[in-house]
Amino acid sequence: MADPTQTTAPANADIAAYAIQLGDDALILSHRLSEWSAHSPQIEEDLALANIALDLLGQARTLLAYGGSFSGRSEDDLAYLREERQFTNLQLTELENGNFATTMIRQLLFSCYQYELYRDLQSSQDAQLAAIAAKAVKEVAYHIDHASAWVIRLGDGTEVSHQRSQDALETVWPFTHELFADDELARRIADLGVGPLPSGVRPAWFAAVQAVLTEATLSLPADNWKPSGGRTGLHTEGFGFLLAEMQHLHRSHPGAQW
C-alpha cells in the first residue's frame, strides 16, 4: 500500500482526486445498472447485471476509501454526503439506461475504456492503485465479454434490434470523447507515474470497440458533438434524480446502521 506521507502534499491531493474520479465512475454506473433489477428481459440478466453492478460497487468502495483516506473522509461520506457538483464521474456513466440496447452499448464502451485504463494502472507507482487495478481488470474482462455478446446479438439480430442498437450507439457515442481528455490533473498524474494519460488508452479502446461493432454490423457515428464536464462537476439532467435516489436513505437516517 502506498504511504501518503512519503509524497508531497500537492501530489497526495492529486492522487486522492484521481482515486475519487475513478471511484465515482464505478459508483455511478453501478447504481445505474442496479436500476435494471427485476426489469431485465431475462431472469439470468437480472443476476448478470446485478453481479456487474456489485463488481463496480466493490471497485468504488476501495477507490473512494483510498481517495478519502488522504482527507479523513470515509467511502460513505463521499458516496452519500456530497452534492451534485462535487461528483467527478464521467457523464457516460450517469446516462439513463434507456432500452436494453442502450445499456449494453454504454457498458461495452465504458468497460473497454476501464479495461485499458486498469491494465496500464497495474504498473502505477502508487502501490494501492496498482493493487486495485490488478483485481478489477479481471472483473472488467468479464464485463466486456458480457456486453460484447449482447451488442453482437442485438446488432446482428432482427431489423428492430439492429435499428435500436444503432440508435443507442448514436446517442451514447458522443459521450466517449470525455473519456480520453487530458486535463491538468491527468497530466500531473501521468508525470507522477501514477496513471496513464487518458488519450494514451484510446487507440487500444477504439480497436476493441470497433471489432465488436463490426461483428454487430453497426456503423460508427460521426464525431460532430462532444459533450464534456463530468470531471469538473457538470452533469446531465438526470444526474440529480440519480443522486436523490442513491442518497435518500443515508440522508434520511444519518448514522443509521444495519
Side-chain angles (χ1 to χ4, degrees), residues 17-18 20-22 24-25 82-94 178-179 181-188 226-236 239:
Y18 183 64
I20 291 172
Q21 283 185 354
L22 302 185
D24 283 349
D25 289 344
R82 283 184 295 161
E83 304 294 334
E84 181 173 338
R85 291 295 300 269
Q86 295 174 309
F87 278 82
T88 55
N89 58 281
L90 296 160
Q91 289 185 356
L92 176 68
T93 63
E94 70 194 47
E178 187 183 16
L179 277 59
D182 295 335
D183 59 18
E184 291 184 7
L185 175 61
R187 293 190 182 92
R188 291 197 299 271
K226 301 179 181 180
S228 63
R231 291 298 192 216
T232 58
L234 298 177
H235 298 286
T236 56
F239 189 63

Side-chain angles (χ1 to χ4, degrees), residues 178-207:
E178 187 183 16
L179 277 59
F180 310 106
D182 295 335
D183 59 18
E184 291 184 7
L185 175 61
R187 293 190 182 92
R188 291 197 299 271
I189 286 295
D191 289 343
L192 288 169
V194 170
L197 269 178
S199 61
V201 303
R202 191 178 189 282
W205 169 88
F206 185 79

Side-chain angles (χ1 to χ4, degrees), residues 15-96:
I15 293 170
Y18 183 64
I20 291 172
Q21 283 185 354
L22 302 185
D24 283 349
D25 289 344
L27 174 69
I28 298 304
L29 185 55
S30 171
H31 187 80
R32 275 295 185 223
L33 288 178
S34 72
E35 294 173 354
W36 273 105
S37 297
H39 296 284
S40 299
Q42 296 177 347
I43 293 176
E44 291 87 348
E45 275 307 300
D46 270 350
L47 298 177
L49 291 178
N51 281 330
I52 293 172
L54 281 174
D55 286 344
L56 291 168
L57 186 60
Q59 295 165 20
R61 291 189 63 188
T62 54
L63 287 163
L64 293 179
Y66 182 51
S69 69
F70 290 87
S71 59
R73 291 177 293 177
S74 70
E75 63 197 65
D76 284 348
D77 292 338
L78 291 168
Y80 298 127
L81 298 178
R82 283 184 295 161
E83 304 294 334
E84 181 173 338
R85 291 295 300 269
Q86 295 174 309
F87 278 82
T88 55
N89 58 281
L90 296 160
Q91 289 185 356
L92 176 68
T93 63
E94 70 194 47
L95 295 180
E96 295 182 12

Side-chain angles (χ1 to χ4, degrees), residues 87-144:
F87 278 82
T88 55
N89 58 281
L90 296 160
Q91 289 185 356
L92 176 68
T93 63
E94 70 194 47
L95 295 180
E96 295 182 12
N97 287 327
N99 59 39
F100 191 69
T102 304
T103 293
M104 289 299 106
I105 290 286
R106 182 188 64 197
Q107 196 63 40
L108 173 69
L109 299 178
F110 180 75
S111 293
C112 287
Y113 155 77
Q114 201 180 36
Y115 181 82
E116 298 302 332
L117 176 70
Y118 283 166
R119 189 168 65 174
D120 286 356
L121 201 57
Q122 292 178 96
S123 58
S124 173
Q125 293 298 310
D126 185 293
Q128 179 69 0
L129 287 176
I132 293 171
K135 178 179 183 298
V137 74
K138 300 170 186 173
E139 298 170 344
V140 177
Y142 163 73
H143 303 171
I144 293 175

Side-chain angles (χ1 to χ4, degrees), residues 204-226:
W205 169 88
F206 185 79
V209 167
Q210 188 177 41
V212 176
L213 296 182
T214 298
E215 189 170 351
T217 70
L218 297 174
S219 302
L220 284 172
D223 290 325
N224 52 9
W225 183 48
K226 301 179 181 180

